[in-house]
Amino acid sequence: MPTPAVSGDSSSRTYLETPYLGIRWDGQQVIVDMRARASSADFRAGMETCHRAIVETQTTRLLLDCRDMRLLLVEDERWLAADFLPLLATTRLRWMAVVTPENSLAREIVKDLAKPRPTKTVSKHCATVAEAMLWLSRTGAA
């Protein structure tokens, strides 16, 4: 499992760069790029790195680019719903744009995770990264 490393200046930072997942801060929002299927341990470590990036940057916005997302193990889907999403509710995160996966089964997973949960986050599903960036740019103050 790769060790997350932070690089960049105050306006942009890379938190994780792997073949399966990229996590960065672009000065406005944390961006998670789901690139390929990862092992359960790597996936969860990546999501924990995402949480750390949200906390460190104090961001109110998250862009999840899930276009290339593949299937998740049922245990990882449950972990996201039961552990990770409630953890996000403890941060300043308020807006989350999700770029819809191209894989039809992955779309169903994302749709299931989008069911109402006890968080303070408003989410929008978008067809493109440009649409997601535009929506996030029009939300409340950073």
Side-chain angles (χ1 to χ4, degrees), residues 82-99:
D83 298 331
F84 185 71
L85 292 177
L87 185 61
L88 290 184
T90 67
T91 70
R92 292 187 65 218
L93 188 67
R94 296 298 171 265
W95 298 281
M96 182 171 23
V98 180
V99 181

Side-chain angles (χ1 to χ4, degrees), residues 20-80:
Y20 56 86
L21 187 65
I23 301 172
R24 63 186 166 87
W25 163 252
D26 73 354
Q28 298 296 316
Q29 57 258 323
V30 169
I31 299 170
V32 177
D33 182 12
M34 308 283 262
R35 299 181 180 141
R37 190 175 179 308
S39 70
S40 187
D42 286 343
F43 174 75
R44 292 180 190 203
M47 292 296 95
E48 289 167 358
T49 300
C50 171
H51 174 258
R52 182 170 62 94
I54 290 167
V55 170
E56 286 181 8
T57 62
Q58 292 295 296
T59 191
T60 57
R61 297 177 179 98
L62 174 64
L63 190 158
L64 292 171
D65 182 356
C66 298
R67 288 175 296 174
D68 295 328
M69 180 179 162
R70 298 297 175 245
L71 300 179
L72 293 177
L73 295 174
V74 171
E75 294 82 19
D76 289 335
E77 186 178 349
R78 287 186 187 132
W79 176 83
L80 278 172

